[in-house]
């Protein structure tokens, strides 16, 4: 492409810069399959440089084949088929070196309706990235099925037993069974809420409704809830700095962030769980730390991924909590990181800007 004599229409420098700016791979051929241009992304994905490709035959330079071994370019046959054909749907293909790519094409005709094919624009996308996304979705479905099965089995079993043998149980036995059903229903509700949060975070549809939020008061509320649920009061310590700024945040999401971080510290850590709130130059910083084993530095980049549960034997949960926390913090314009706490455990520290009120 650059400096290569293709014998075809010249490719201007401006055009070269434009196709190199595309995030997807792009190969352009003439109507008979001679390669006219290859952008950087395509060269990276295929391992074929523009200097080697331009001027060569498409089926020789890029011998794409489907999973049954059929040659893609021959099947494409730009000069054959209906003269109204202009688009070739994306499909997974591979090169002899083993790269799997998702390939689509557009047939450029002159005139546009029913004319001869003068160029073919071929787009390439990394098949590995698509496969990872599909695996992530499959993992999500598997996790949801596993997490739903246990509480729903319990709910079904206890309700069926109560309906069939109501008069045989004492009031105390009925109360215990109904409490179990209620707790399992809460577990299903939490899972559905987590899945909705994941969906909103991944699609960019997470909305933040700002109001003045007293963050230390919200932290005290989270601690009180844990104590009411049976945790010893001395398990928690709250440190709040003086002259904290007025914070415009989404109160429900701040409760969710603090609740998930405290839950993580209680579940996976040991000793005292400390929540420290302090002012920073542009907002507020909140640290939640425990006195457990901590997180190895090499594992730190993984903790905010979906389904991460660490090495704790007390796994529990769906592994979505910290992923959701990161999404909620970033929706506020903040950041979050994990490091080793002074007491030796894990310290999750997030910072959020002061924000501004919603006037909508």
């Amino acid at each position: 492409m650059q400096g290569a004599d293709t014998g075809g229409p010249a490719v201007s420098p401006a055009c070269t810069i434009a196709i190199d700016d595309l995030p997807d791979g792009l190969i352009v051929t003439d109507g008979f399959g001679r390669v006219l241009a290859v952008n950087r992304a395509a060269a990276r994905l295929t391992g074929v440089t523009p200097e080697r490709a331009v001027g060569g035959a498409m089926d020789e330079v890029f011998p794409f084949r489907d999973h049954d071994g059929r040659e893609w370019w021959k099947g494409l046959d730009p000069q054959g088929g209906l003269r109204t054909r202009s688009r070739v749907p994306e499909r997974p293909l591979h090169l002899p070196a083993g790269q799997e790519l998702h390939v689509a094409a557009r047939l450029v005709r002159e005139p546009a309706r029913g004319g001869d094919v003068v160029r073919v624009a071929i787009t390439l996308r990394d098949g590995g990235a698509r496969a990872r996304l599909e695996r992530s979705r499959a993992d999500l479905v598997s996790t949801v099925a596993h997490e739903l099965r246990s509480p729903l089995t319990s709910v079904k079993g206890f309700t069926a037993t109560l309906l069939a043998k109501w008069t045989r149980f004492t009031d105390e036995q009925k109360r215990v069974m109904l409490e179990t059903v209620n707790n399992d229903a809460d577990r299903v509700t939490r899972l559905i809420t987590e899945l909705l949060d994941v969906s909103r975070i991944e699609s960019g549809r997470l909305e933040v409704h700002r109001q003045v939020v007293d963050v230390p008061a919200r932290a005290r509320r989270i601690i009180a809830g844990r104590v009411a649920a049976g945790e010893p009061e001395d398990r928690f310590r709250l440190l709040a700095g003086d002259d904290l700024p007025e914070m415009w945040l989404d109160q429900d999401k701040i409760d969710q962030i603090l609740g998930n971080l405290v839950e993580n510290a209680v579940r996976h850590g040991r000793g005292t769980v400390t929540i420290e709130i302090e002012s920073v130059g542009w907002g507020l910083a909140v640290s939640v730390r425990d006195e457990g084993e901590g997180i190895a530095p090499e594992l730190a980049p993984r903790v905010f991924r979906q389904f991460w549960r660490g090495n704790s034997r007390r796994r529990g949960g769906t592994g979505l909590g910290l992923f959701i926390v990161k999404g909620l913090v970033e929706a506020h314009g903040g950041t979050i990181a994990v490091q080793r706490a002074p007491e030796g455990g894990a310290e999750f520290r997030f910072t959020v800007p002061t924000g501004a009120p919603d006037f909508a």
Side-chain angles (χ1 to χ4, degrees), residues 236-255:
F236 304 97
R237 179 175 57 177
L238 175 63
L239 305 174
D242 298 327
D243 300 324
L244 297 177
E246 182 179 81
M247 301 297 296
W248 288 82
L249 307 167
D250 187 312
Q251 181 169 289
D252 290 339
K253 291 180 174 56
I254 291 299
D255 284 352

Side-chain angles (χ1 to χ4, degrees), residues 156-232:
K156 175 63 176 175
F158 278 120
T159 53
T161 301
L162 286 169
L163 288 172
K165 303 177 180 180
W166 180 265
T167 57
R168 300 184 185 182
F169 296 110
T170 66
D171 288 345
E172 179 63 20
Q173 289 172 324
K174 293 173 184 176
R175 185 182 66 80
V176 171
M177 295 172 75
L178 288 173
E179 284 179 348
T180 303
V181 170
N182 183 61
N183 292 335
D184 284 334
D186 287 342
R187 181 176 166 188
V188 172
T189 301
R190 285 194 300 271
L191 175 60
I192 293 172
T193 300
E194 286 185 342
L195 294 176
L196 290 173
D197 286 336
V198 169
S199 175
R200 295 187 184 106
I201 289 169
E202 290 188 331
S203 64
R205 294 184 291 107
L206 194 65
E207 296 182 354
V208 174
H209 303 287
R210 296 183 184 272
Q211 64 185 83
V212 175
V213 175
D214 184 341
V215 178
R218 306 317 297 176
R220 282 191 287 271
R221 180 177 178 275
I222 296 296
I223 292 173
R226 301 293 311 194
V227 172
E231 295 285 345

Side-chain angles (χ1 to χ4, degrees), residues 78-95:
Q79 298 301 324
L82 297 174
R83 297 181 70 84
T84 56
R85 184 175 56 135
S86 62
R87 297 184 182 276
V88 179
E90 185 179 80
R91 60 182 303 184
L93 301 172
H94 64 268
L95 290 170

Side-chain angles (χ1 to χ4, degrees), residues 8-26:
V11 181
S12 70
C15 179
T16 302
I17 293 172
I19 67 171
D20 279 341
D21 286 343
L22 294 173
D24 294 331
L26 176 66

Side-chain angles (χ1 to χ4, degrees), residues 62-316:
F62 299 104
F64 289 114
R65 294 180 181 270
D66 65 19
H67 291 305
D68 294 323
R70 293 186 292 260
E71 297 180 35
W72 177 74
W73 182 258
K74 287 185 177 180
L76 181 66
D77 187 18
Q79 298 301 324
L82 297 174
R83 297 181 70 84
T84 56
R85 184 175 56 135
S86 62
R87 297 184 182 276
V88 179
E90 185 179 80
R91 60 182 303 184
L93 301 172
H94 64 268
L95 290 170
Q99 308 97 309
E100 181 176 273
L101 302 172
H102 289 265
V103 182
R106 182 174 183 272
L107 308 180
V108 182
R109 297 179 180 272
E110 291 184 4
R113 291 183 177 273
D116 294 332
V117 175
V118 295
R119 285 187 306 281
V120 181
I122 302 162
T123 58
L124 313 176
R125 296 183 179 179
D126 183 6
R130 182 76 60 87
R132 287 190 294 273
L133 177 60
E134 291 175 353
R135 283 197 299 271
S136 176
R137 289 173 176 170
D139 287 344
L140 183 60
V141 171
S142 176
T143 298
V144 171
H146 176 77
E147 293 295 329
L148 285 175
R149 181 183 301 160
S150 177
L152 289 179
T153 299
S154 171
V155 169
K156 175 63 176 175
F158 278 120
T159 53
T161 301
L162 286 169
L163 288 172
K165 303 177 180 180
W166 180 265
T167 57
R168 300 184 185 182
F169 296 110
T170 66
D171 288 345
E172 179 63 20
Q173 289 172 324
K174 293 173 184 176
R175 185 182 66 80
V176 171
M177 295 172 75
L178 288 173
E179 284 179 348
T180 303
V181 170
N182 183 61
N183 292 335
D184 284 334
D186 287 342
R187 181 176 166 188
V188 172
T189 301
R190 285 194 300 271
L191 175 60
I192 293 172
T193 300
E194 286 185 342
L195 294 176
L196 290 173
D197 286 336
V198 169
S199 175
R200 295 187 184 106
I201 289 169
E202 290 188 331
S203 64
R205 294 184 291 107
L206 194 65
E207 296 182 354
V208 174
H209 303 287
R210 296 183 184 272
Q211 64 185 83
V212 175
V213 175
D214 184 341
V215 178
R218 306 317 297 176
R220 282 191 287 271
R221 180 177 178 275
I222 296 296
I223 292 173
R226 301 293 311 194
V227 172
E231 295 285 345
E233 188 172 357
D234 60 1
R235 177 82 192 271
F236 304 97
R237 179 175 57 177
L238 175 63
L239 305 174
D242 298 327
D243 300 324
L244 297 177
E246 182 179 81
M247 301 297 296
W248 288 82
L249 307 167
D250 187 312
Q251 181 169 289
D252 290 339
K253 291 180 174 56
I254 291 299
D255 284 352
Q256 194 172 355
I257 292 168
L258 291 171
N260 279 3
L261 290 178
V262 170
E263 168 71 18
N264 183 76
V266 170
R267 183 185 297 274
H268 298 289
R270 292 195 300 268
T272 302
V273 175
T274 301
I275 305 174
E276 184 172 4
I277 305 169
E278 55 188 329
S279 175
V280 293
W282 49 283
L284 204 68
V286 181
S287 300
V288 179
R289 54 183 179 263
D290 60 69
E291 298 174 347
E293 297 177 0
I295 297 171
E298 63 271 16
L299 297 179
R302 306 180 192 175
V303 299
F304 298 109
R305 296 179 185 173
Q306 293 183 31
F307 313 119
W308 187 87
R309 293 186 177 96
N311 296 322
S312 173
R313 294 181 181 177
R314 298 173 61 192
R315 294 178 64 173

